[in-house]
Each structure stands twice: as C-alpha cells, then as structure tokens.
Amino acid sequence: MAPRLLSCFRNKHAGGCSHHDEGCGASSEESAAGAREAAGEGPVLVEMFTSQGCATSPAADLVLSRLGRGDFQLEVPVVLLAFHVDYWDYVGWKDPFGSSQWTVRQKAYVEALGLDTLFTPQVVVQGQAHLEGNDDNALISAITSAPRFPAPTFQATFNKPTPTSLEVTLVGALRTKVDNLGVDVMVALYETGLVTDCPRGENKGRVLSNDYVVRKLEKLCTVKDYPAKKTMSGTATFSLWDTFNSSRCGMAVFVQNSSHQIFGSQNFQLPDDL
C-alpha cells in the first residue's frame, strides 16, 4: 500500500518482562562504533512492517522470504523480522498476525527517523534506514551499506514450564561495550511458513504466505556500564499461541537503544521437540 498519512502517536514501545542474573549495560553510538571497528562482522537486522490488509504488502512479504532463502546471494548475514501492524484492519480483513504492539513499534521509528507518516510495507534496516518494502534493489543496497556490529555470543536453553508457555534462558556476552546511556536486550519469537486464505479486504481471494512473523517480543534486560566481553544471563518467558509448532519457529536477540537503533543481533532456531 502506497505511503499514506496516518495519525502518529508518541508513546514508546515498553518491551516485555525481563529477568537477568547479572547487571547488564548499555551502548552509546560512540562506544558501539568503537567495537564495530574491532569486530563488526555481525548480521544486519531487517524489520518489515506489513499487513495482510494492504494490497502491496504481499509482494514485499515475498521479498523478505526470498531474502531469507538466500536468493539475493548477499555476503552480509541478516536477521529478519516481520511485524504485522493492525491499522489496516478496518479495510475489510483483520490480519490474524496483526498487533497494536507492532504498530506502536513502527510509530516509534516514525518519530526516531523524523518521518511524517506510517505506511506499509516499510522496511527498517539496523534501526537507522528505512525504505519501501517491495523495492528489492533498494533493500539490498541498504543492507550492504548498513553499519555492522559484533554479534552477541548467547547460548540458549529452552524449556516449557507449562503447555502454553516457553522459557528461554540466554547466557553470553554482548560483544559491544556498554556505557551509561543504556540499551535494551530484546528477544523476538517468530514463525515461518504461514499460509492464509484471505476472503475479504484488498487481498480478497488471494492465498497469502508469510515468513519471519513476529508472534512475541520480550525485553530480556536493560543494560548499562557493561564490558563488551563480560558474560551476562537472563530469562524471557513467552505465552504461546494455540497453533505453536517449534519446528516452524525461530528466535532473534537484538540490542537497541532508546531510539531503536540496533547495535548487534543474533538468530536461533528452536528445537523441533519442544
């Protein structure tokens, strides 16, 4: 759907519950840049804001899926997340993966990047550059030119304390020096291989395919004044949806500052036997 003026609020995404065993720290742009010079070969975080209620989003969703399959043969590793917003639900089709939480996250980018409007499909790269999601050439250019930072070295342990919840414990280092400005360590649970029959709305009669769909997002911890190589640990707990299937799910960990700029990310596949 072409860019369109919408009301933009200023409330920030608050993140989820967090539990950590050791004090964690934050990263300013200056300290993160210093770490990047030493070992900036980590992946680039690509966030797509999309909606099944938007006529032009399916083409962008396909670009994201192709990016995940490696069709563009990029040398830069990527971490992919698709946030389905809810502000097109009124058109006639309610996106089953849409959430006001993801709309709030996009609004935070509108403010941080100095934009005038929300639109779908929109891609944000490393929290610092944005573009229309169905322009694959512009997307490839944005990824290859994005600043890169060391990937965290977390090891993940998964546990299901109840049939409807998933507990993830992470132990490792951020590999980016953190100062007193603060960052949040975020954990996203996403699902791929989703297929939806769309009987109404702008995509009426189409079968829609979606990958890397963010189902849950939690804050592991907020960190300040923390060395790049010091080990930290934390646990995030996710409530699960009825059709949860771990074989279709992955998890992304990323480090963001208050403006949602990204200073490192890491990707995990979930065990098949959860």
Side-chain angles (χ1 to χ4, degrees), residues 3-271:
R4 171 176 170 180
L5 282 172
L6 293 169
S7 59
C8 299
F9 303 105
R10 293 185 175 273
N11 47 325
K12 299 281 191 174
H13 170 55
C17 301
S18 65
H19 308 279
H20 57 95
D21 298 327
E22 298 182 12
C24 307
S27 132
S28 68
E29 294 182 48
E30 293 78 13
S31 59
R36 172 163 46 92
E37 291 175 2
E41 298 304 319
V44 170
L45 181 66
V46 177
E47 300 174 64
M48 177 172 287
F49 295 93
T50 183
S51 172
Q52 289 188 356
C54 163
T56 54
S57 280
D61 297 333
L62 177 59
V63 171
L64 195 72
S65 297
R66 291 184 61 206
L67 186 61
R69 291 197 302 262
D71 290 359
F72 300 111
Q73 298 182 332
L74 293 177
E75 294 183 1
V76 179
V78 291
V79 173
L80 307 175
L81 296 175
F83 292 94
H84 284 236
V85 297
D86 67 345
Y87 51 82
W88 295 122
D89 287 357
Y90 76 93
V91 175
W93 174 248
K94 181 177 173 60
D95 190 327
F97 313 118
S99 171
S100 60
Q101 185 180 355
W102 314 148
T103 299
V104 170
R105 183 170 181 85
Q106 189 182 20
K107 287 172 180 174
Y109 275 128
V110 168
E111 180 178 347
L113 298 175
L115 308 178
D116 295 326
T117 180
L118 291 167
F119 68 90
T120 54
Q122 182 187 35
V123 170
V124 179
V125 178
Q126 288 290 68
Q128 301 185 38
H130 83 102
L131 59 143
E132 293 189 19
N134 46 20
D135 188 341
D136 53 351
N137 290 325
L139 177 57
I140 292 168
S141 177
I143 292 171
T144 55
S145 62
R148 293 172 64 187
F149 304 93
T153 59
F154 287 117
Q155 298 293 316
T157 302
F158 299 91
N159 179 46
K160 284 186 71 177
T162 72
T164 59
S165 64
L166 175 66
E167 191 176 81
V168 182
T169 299
L170 295 167
V171 180
L174 291 182
R175 295 184 66 218
T176 297
K177 183 183 177 182
V178 175
D179 66 12
N180 62 358
L181 295 184
V183 293
D184 294 326
V185 182
M186 308 297 297
V187 186
L189 188 61
Y190 64 83
E191 188 172 12
T192 60
L194 295 168
V195 179
T196 307
D197 291 320
C198 187
R200 297 183 300 279
E202 294 195 3
N203 291 307
K204 180 179 179 179
R206 301 184 64 176
V207 177
L208 305 178
S209 298
N210 296 110
D211 293 314
Y212 308 102
V213 176
V214 177
R215 304 301 299 266
K216 303 289 178 178
L217 180 66
E218 298 290 346
K219 182 169 68 174
L220 185 74
C221 57
T222 298
V223 295
K224 292 183 178 181
D225 294 320
Y226 209 81
K229 296 182 180 180
K230 186 174 180 180
T231 298
M232 67 170 61
S233 63
T235 299
T237 302
F238 301 95
S239 59
L240 299 178
W241 52 101
D242 292 341
T243 59
F244 172 77
N245 183 340
S246 64
S247 65
R248 293 204 306 257
C249 294
M251 187 184 75
V253 180
F254 57 93
V255 181
Q256 67 179 27
N257 68 5
S258 60
S259 297
H260 286 32
Q261 291 180 326
I262 306 301
F263 295 105
S265 59
Q266 187 179 4
N267 197 60
F268 298 88
Q269 291 301 310
L270 266 62

